[in-house]
Amino acid sequence: MSNGGGRTFFGHPWGLATLFCTEMWERFSWYGLRAILATFMAASPAHQGLGLSQETAQAVVGVYGALIYLVALPGGWVADRILGARRSVFWGGFVIMLGHISMAIPVTTPFFVWLGLLLIITGTGLLKPNISVMVGRLYPEGDDGRRDSGFSLFYLGINLGAFFAPIVVGWLAAGDRWHLGFGAAAVGMALGLVQYVWGGKSLRGVGERPGLRLTRRERRRFTGIALAAVALVAVALGVWAATGTLTVDRLTVVITVLILIVPIVYFAYILLGSHNLTEDERTRMKAYIWLFVAAAVFWMIYDLAPSKLLFFAADHTDLSLFGLPIQAATTQSFNPLFIMIFVPVFAALWLKLGTRVSTPQKFAFALVMVGLSFVVMALAAALAGTGRVSVWWLVLVYLVQVFGELSLSPVGLSVTTKLAPEAFKGQMLGVWFIATSVGDAVGGQTGRLGRVLSDPAYYLALAAMAIVAGAALFMFTKKLRMMMAEHHDPGMR
């Protein structure tokens, strides 16, 4: 495509096409792995799996997802102070590719699996936050309308990758060909890297340099601290292993506790320190904590898709759609399909409703929706018993969940920037992702409830938690709006 101003991508800078494809292939690799990871870990060694219990596999997938969101904070810092966004995206993608290759090595030892996951976490921390920054920088200051439109196209790329990955990877991994599935994820990331380098000129220097490069002295200090931290973790794990009490299950518990501590410490640091915060800023911050907790509860349930719901698909559903057989992993494609269908619907709805629906009400609606989705899961689990039910139950679950996501996720970053104190504007964007990290980590640990609860009771327990939290938000909407000063901002939506 072209116009008088040169080559464009649906009316946007051609650099958006490069970043669109890079992100699409990176998400293909991420969602492809995610669609088979839990079932691979729970499969017996006779079926080329790791032989973990479903409970432990759920905990690992939860912690893995949690760390992916947590490392976005240091990943953004590395780009700002050392590498620049452009090189961070390249090296992040390269490390992700190495991680998938490690997992694709067809050996029985789990070492390469754990190494692969560690590399993917590290690489995603470098790539994910910084590629979004580069999209924003393609547009001149004041071009907000085109920038918003560009991000909409960019998110389409995310969901295209997320839609096709479980179908392709799930099909390749069928029949215990797990490593072939992991290999497909590696190829996807490699394709993303090739076109990223190939289309580099179209980025017009965006993200070439760090925003505030470390001095030589600061870099030496950072390197020393980083190496010391890695050594400390390695020694701690070594000592723990020497005691004979280190297990994958216990390690996930420790990581979950550490992740829970992060936001507690951070919010205490903001509220208890001076930082020249005004009284209004402190009040808005207290309101934000309630929204943060609500978001964490939402993601705790929503992100059980690649573990608990995947196991249900594999063990308790008749895997066929319109008479065609599908893989359990393919059920992970329902979510991005519904997102692509309903994003424009919800965007138009929020525009039409304007300020008549507040942020707390949107969050409350999201919690009720995700809670109702697990009421549906409880019914499906009760009907399944030891047999199988139609996969359309899961289609309904994901449809209801997407209504919730589109009520919470798009407004999350917006309300974060609105409520952030002036001294923490930049940092607070990363805090929003910590809510997802907390939710994923805790959600992974909820599998332990299966020791004392039947499957229907498990789903109902989590559903009750979300619905009660949603009802509480509805009850205190007026109070929260006053704390947020949202009623003074007619442009808020």
Side-chain angles (χ1 to χ4, degrees), residues 24-36 158-173 181 184-185 329-330 332-333 336:
M24 182 182 71
W25 283 114
E26 185 274 331
R27 291 291 89 183
F28 176 92
S29 71
W30 158 249
Y31 281 100
L33 168 65
R34 201 176 91 135
I36 63 172
I158 290 174
N159 285 293
L160 280 174
F163 172 72
F164 286 111
I167 299 171
V168 174
V169 173
W171 174 71
L172 289 171
T330 305
Q332 301 295 291
S333 292

Short mmCIF file of all heavy atoms in Angstrom, two decimals, residues 24-36 158-173 181 184-185 329-330 332-333 336:
data_model
loop_
_atom_site.label_atom_id
_atom_site.label_comp_id
_atom_site.label_asym_id
_atom_site.label_seq_id
_atom_site.Cartn_x
_atom_site.Cartn_y
_atom_site.Cartn_z
N MET A 24 2.89 -10.66 16.45
CA MET A 24 2.02 -11.77 16.10
C MET A 24 2.76 -13.10 16.23
O MET A 24 2.24 -14.06 16.82
CB MET A 24 1.51 -11.62 14.67
CG MET A 24 0.55 -12.72 14.24
SD MET A 24 0.01 -12.55 12.52
CE MET A 24 1.54 -12.97 11.65
N TRP A 25 4.00 -13.16 15.73
CA TRP A 25 4.77 -14.40 15.81
C TRP A 25 5.26 -14.68 17.23
O TRP A 25 5.33 -15.84 17.65
CB TRP A 25 5.94 -14.37 14.83
CG TRP A 25 5.53 -14.61 13.41
CD1 TRP A 25 5.59 -13.73 12.37
CD2 TRP A 25 4.96 -15.81 12.88
NE1 TRP A 25 5.09 -14.30 11.23
CE2 TRP A 25 4.71 -15.59 11.51
CE3 TRP A 25 4.63 -17.06 13.43
CZ2 TRP A 25 4.14 -16.56 10.69
CZ3 TRP A 25 4.08 -18.03 12.61
CH2 TRP A 25 3.84 -17.78 11.26
N GLU A 26 5.57 -13.63 17.97
CA GLU A 26 5.96 -13.84 19.37
C GLU A 26 4.78 -14.40 20.16
O GLU A 26 4.94 -15.31 20.98
CB GLU A 26 6.45 -12.52 19.98
CG GLU A 26 7.00 -12.66 21.40
CD GLU A 26 5.94 -12.59 22.49
OE1 GLU A 26 4.92 -11.92 22.29
OE2 GLU A 26 6.15 -13.21 23.56
N ARG A 27 3.59 -13.86 19.93
CA ARG A 27 2.40 -14.37 20.62
C ARG A 27 2.04 -15.78 20.13
O ARG A 27 1.53 -16.59 20.91
CB ARG A 27 1.22 -13.43 20.40
CG ARG A 27 1.34 -12.09 21.10
CD ARG A 27 1.23 -12.22 22.62
NE ARG A 27 2.49 -12.45 23.30
CZ ARG A 27 2.61 -12.65 24.60
NH1 ARG A 27 1.55 -12.64 25.38
NH2 ARG A 27 3.79 -12.87 25.14
N PHE A 28 2.33 -16.06 18.85
CA PHE A 28 2.14 -17.42 18.35
C PHE A 28 3.00 -18.39 19.17
O PHE A 28 2.53 -19.45 19.60
CB PHE A 28 2.53 -17.49 16.87
CG PHE A 28 2.44 -18.88 16.28
CD1 PHE A 28 1.28 -19.32 15.65
CD2 PHE A 28 3.53 -19.76 16.35
CE1 PHE A 28 1.20 -20.60 15.11
CE2 PHE A 28 3.45 -21.05 15.83
CZ PHE A 28 2.28 -21.47 15.20
N SER A 29 4.25 -18.03 19.38
CA SER A 29 5.15 -18.91 20.14
C SER A 29 4.70 -19.03 21.60
O SER A 29 4.69 -20.12 22.18
CB SER A 29 6.59 -18.41 20.06
OG SER A 29 6.78 -17.22 20.80
N TRP A 30 4.27 -17.91 22.20
CA TRP A 30 3.87 -17.90 23.61
C TRP A 30 2.60 -18.71 23.83
O TRP A 30 2.53 -19.59 24.70
CB TRP A 30 3.68 -16.45 24.07
CG TRP A 30 2.82 -16.24 25.26
CD1 TRP A 30 1.59 -15.65 25.28
CD2 TRP A 30 3.09 -16.58 26.62
NE1 TRP A 30 1.08 -15.61 26.55
CE2 TRP A 30 1.99 -16.18 27.41
CE3 TRP A 30 4.16 -17.20 27.26
CZ2 TRP A 30 1.91 -16.37 28.77
CZ3 TRP A 30 4.09 -17.40 28.63
CH2 TRP A 30 2.98 -16.99 29.38
N TYR A 31 1.57 -18.42 23.01
CA TYR A 31 0.30 -19.12 23.19
C TYR A 31 0.37 -20.57 22.70
O TYR A 31 -0.38 -21.43 23.18
CB TYR A 31 -0.84 -18.37 22.50
CG TYR A 31 -1.31 -17.18 23.30
CD1 TYR A 31 -0.90 -15.89 23.00
CD2 TYR A 31 -2.14 -17.36 24.40
CE1 TYR A 31 -1.32 -14.80 23.75
CE2 TYR A 31 -2.57 -16.28 25.16
CZ TYR A 31 -2.15 -15.01 24.83
OH TYR A 31 -2.55 -13.93 25.60
N GLY A 32 1.25 -20.84 21.74
CA GLY A 32 1.44 -22.21 21.31
C GLY A 32 2.00 -23.08 22.41
O GLY A 32 1.50 -24.18 22.69
N LEU A 33 3.03 -22.57 23.08
CA LEU A 33 3.61 -23.30 24.22
C LEU A 33 2.59 -23.44 25.34
O LEU A 33 2.42 -24.52 25.92
CB LEU A 33 4.85 -22.56 24.73
CG LEU A 33 5.41 -23.02 26.08
CD1 LEU A 33 5.92 -24.46 25.98
CD2 LEU A 33 6.50 -22.09 26.57
N ARG A 34 1.91 -22.35 25.66
CA ARG A 34 0.96 -22.32 26.76
C ARG A 34 -0.17 -23.34 26.57
O ARG A 34 -0.69 -23.91 27.52
CB ARG A 34 0.38 -20.91 26.88
CG ARG A 34 -0.23 -20.57 28.22
CD ARG A 34 -0.68 -19.13 28.24
NE ARG A 34 -2.06 -19.02 27.82
CZ ARG A 34 -2.99 -18.28 28.44
NH1 ARG A 34 -2.66 -17.59 29.51
NH2 ARG A 34 -4.21 -18.22 28.00
N ALA A 35 -0.52 -23.59 25.30
CA ALA A 35 -1.65 -24.47 25.00
C ALA A 35 -1.35 -25.94 25.27
O ALA A 35 -2.27 -26.74 25.39
CB ALA A 35 -2.06 -24.30 23.54
N ILE A 36 -0.06 -26.30 25.36
CA ILE A 36 0.28 -27.72 25.59
C ILE A 36 1.15 -27.93 26.83
O ILE A 36 1.42 -29.07 27.20
CB ILE A 36 1.00 -28.33 24.36
CG1 ILE A 36 2.35 -27.63 24.10
CG2 ILE A 36 0.11 -28.29 23.13
CD1 ILE A 36 3.19 -28.31 23.04
N ILE A 158 -1.76 -9.48 17.98
CA ILE A 158 -1.63 -10.31 19.19
C ILE A 158 -2.66 -11.45 19.15
O ILE A 158 -2.34 -12.62 19.36
CB ILE A 158 -1.84 -9.46 20.46
CG1 ILE A 158 -0.66 -8.50 20.66
CG2 ILE A 158 -2.02 -10.35 21.70
CD1 ILE A 158 -0.84 -7.52 21.80
N ASN A 159 -3.90 -11.09 18.87
CA ASN A 159 -4.97 -12.09 18.93
C ASN A 159 -4.97 -13.04 17.74
O ASN A 159 -5.42 -14.18 17.87
CB ASN A 159 -6.32 -11.39 19.09
CG ASN A 159 -6.51 -10.86 20.49
OD1 ASN A 159 -6.62 -11.61 21.45
ND2 ASN A 159 -6.51 -9.53 20.64
N LEU A 160 -4.46 -12.59 16.60
CA LEU A 160 -4.30 -13.51 15.47
C LEU A 160 -3.29 -14.61 15.83
O LEU A 160 -3.54 -15.80 15.59
CB LEU A 160 -3.83 -12.76 14.22
CG LEU A 160 -4.89 -12.01 13.42
CD1 LEU A 160 -4.25 -11.20 12.31
CD2 LEU A 160 -5.91 -13.00 12.83
N GLY A 161 -2.16 -14.20 16.40
CA GLY A 161 -1.17 -15.18 16.84
C GLY A 161 -1.72 -16.10 17.90
O GLY A 161 -1.51 -17.32 17.87
N ALA A 162 -2.48 -15.53 18.84
CA ALA A 162 -3.06 -16.32 19.94
C ALA A 162 -4.12 -17.28 19.43
O ALA A 162 -4.32 -18.35 20.01
CB ALA A 162 -3.66 -15.38 20.99
N PHE A 163 -4.81 -16.92 18.34
CA PHE A 163 -5.86 -17.78 17.79
C PHE A 163 -5.29 -18.99 17.05
O PHE A 163 -5.71 -20.13 17.26
CB PHE A 163 -6.77 -16.97 16.86
CG PHE A 163 -7.77 -17.81 16.11
CD1 PHE A 163 -8.86 -18.38 16.77
CD2 PHE A 163 -7.62 -18.05 14.75
CE1 PHE A 163 -9.78 -19.17 16.09
CE2 PHE A 163 -8.54 -18.83 14.06
CZ PHE A 163 -9.62 -19.39 14.73
N PHE A 164 -4.33 -18.75 16.18
CA PHE A 164 -3.81 -19.84 15.34
C PHE A 164 -2.85 -20.77 16.07
O PHE A 164 -2.76 -21.95 15.75
CB PHE A 164 -3.13 -19.26 14.09
CG PHE A 164 -4.08 -18.73 13.08
CD1 PHE A 164 -4.18 -17.36 12.83
CD2 PHE A 164 -4.92 -19.59 12.37
CE1 PHE A 164 -5.08 -16.87 11.89
CE2 PHE A 164 -5.83 -19.11 11.43
CZ PHE A 164 -5.91 -17.75 11.19
N ALA A 165 -2.13 -20.24 17.07
CA ALA A 165 -1.10 -21.04 17.75
C ALA A 165 -1.63 -22.33 18.37
O ALA A 165 -1.07 -23.41 18.12
CB ALA A 165 -0.38 -20.19 18.79
N PRO A 166 -2.69 -22.29 19.20
CA PRO A 166 -3.16 -23.54 19.81
C PRO A 166 -3.62 -24.57 18.78
O PRO A 166 -3.48 -25.78 19.00
CB PRO A 166 -4.32 -23.09 20.70
CG PRO A 166 -4.07 -21.64 20.97
CD PRO A 166 -3.46 -21.12 19.70
N ILE A 167 -4.18 -24.10 17.67
CA ILE A 167 -4.65 -25.02 16.62
C ILE A 167 -3.46 -25.73 16.00
O ILE A 167 -3.42 -26.97 15.90
CB ILE A 167 -5.46 -24.25 15.55
CG1 ILE A 167 -6.69 -23.60 16.18
CG2 ILE A 167 -5.85 -25.18 14.40
CD1 ILE A 167 -7.43 -22.65 15.25
N VAL A 168 -2.45 -24.95 15.57
CA VAL A 168 -1.28 -25.52 14.89
C VAL A 168 -0.43 -26.35 15.84
O VAL A 168 -0.11 -27.51 15.56
CB VAL A 168 -0.43 -24.39 14.26
CG1 VAL A 168 0.86 -24.95 13.67
CG2 VAL A 168 -1.24 -23.64 13.19
N VAL A 169 -0.06 -25.75 16.98
CA VAL A 169 0.81 -26.44 17.93
C VAL A 169 0.11 -27.66 18.54
O VAL A 169 0.72 -28.71 18.71
CB VAL A 169 1.29 -25.47 19.03
CG1 VAL A 169 2.06 -26.20 20.11
CG2 VAL A 169 2.16 -24.38 18.41
N GLY A 170 -1.18 -27.51 18.85
CA GLY A 170 -1.94 -28.64 19.39
C GLY A 170 -1.98 -29.82 18.44
O GLY A 170 -1.85 -30.98 18.84
N TRP A 171 -2.16 -29.54 17.14
CA TRP A 171 -2.20 -30.60 16.13
C TRP A 171 -0.83 -31.27 16.00
O TRP A 171 -0.73 -32.50 15.94
CB TRP A 171 -2.63 -30.01 14.79
CG TRP A 171 -2.57 -30.99 13.65
CD1 TRP A 171 -3.38 -32.07 13.45
CD2 TRP A 171 -1.61 -30.99 12.59
NE1 TRP A 171 -3.00 -32.75 12.31
CE2 TRP A 171 -1.91 -32.11 11.76
CE3 TRP A 171 -0.54 -30.16 12.24
CZ2 TRP A 171 -1.18 -32.41 10.61
CZ3 TRP A 171 0.19 -30.45 11.10
CH2 TRP A 171 -0.13 -31.56 10.29
N LEU A 172 0.24 -30.46 15.99
CA LEU A 172 1.59 -31.02 15.86
C LEU A 172 1.98 -31.85 17.08
O LEU A 172 2.69 -32.86 16.95
CB LEU A 172 2.62 -29.89 15.66
CG LEU A 172 2.59 -29.17 14.31
CD1 LEU A 172 3.50 -27.95 14.33
CD2 LEU A 172 3.01 -30.13 13.18
N ALA A 173 1.52 -31.43 18.27
CA ALA A 173 1.91 -32.12 19.51
C ALA A 173 1.07 -33.35 19.79
O ALA A 173 1.37 -34.11 20.73
CB ALA A 173 1.82 -31.14 20.69
N GLY A 181 5.67 -29.81 18.88
CA GLY A 181 4.90 -28.61 19.20
C GLY A 181 5.79 -27.49 19.69
O GLY A 181 5.66 -26.33 19.27
N ALA A 184 7.61 -25.97 16.85
CA ALA A 184 6.79 -25.03 16.06
C ALA A 184 6.80 -23.65 16.70
O ALA A 184 6.83 -22.62 16.01
CB ALA A 184 5.36 -25.56 15.95
N ALA A 185 6.77 -23.60 18.03
CA ALA A 185 6.83 -22.32 18.72
C ALA A 185 8.18 -21.63 18.45
O ALA A 185 8.25 -20.41 18.26
CB ALA A 185 6.64 -22.52 20.23
N ALA A 329 -5.84 -28.74 23.13
CA ALA A 329 -5.17 -27.44 23.04
C ALA A 329 -5.97 -26.44 22.21
O ALA A 329 -5.91 -25.23 22.45
CB ALA A 329 -3.77 -27.61 22.44
N THR A 330 -6.75 -26.94 21.24
CA THR A 330 -7.50 -26.05 20.35
C THR A 330 -8.53 -25.23 21.12
O THR A 330 -8.91 -24.14 20.69
CB THR A 330 -8.20 -26.88 19.25
OG1 THR A 330 -7.21 -27.66 18.58
CG2 THR A 330 -8.89 -25.99 18.23
N GLN A 332 -8.05 -23.51 23.53
CA GLN A 332 -7.42 -22.25 23.92
C GLN A 332 -7.58 -21.17 22.85
O GLN A 332 -7.24 -20.01 23.07
CB GLN A 332 -5.92 -22.48 24.20
CG GLN A 332 -5.64 -23.49 25.31
CD GLN A 332 -6.15 -23.03 26.65
OE1 GLN A 332 -5.63 -22.09 27.24
NE2 GLN A 332 -7.20 -23.68 27.14
N SER A 333 -8.07 -21.57 21.67
CA SER A 333 -8.30 -20.59 20.60
C SER A 333 -9.65 -19.89 20.73
O SER A 333 -9.89 -18.88 20.06
CB SER A 333 -8.22 -21.27 19.23
OG SER A 333 -6.92 -21.70 18.96
N PRO A 336 -9.20 -15.92 22.14
CA PRO A 336 -8.81 -14.84 21.21
C PRO A 336 -9.82 -14.64 20.08
O PRO A 336 -9.99 -13.51 19.60
CB PRO A 336 -7.45 -15.28 20.67
CG PRO A 336 -7.35 -16.74 20.97
CD PRO A 336 -8.16 -16.96 22.21
#
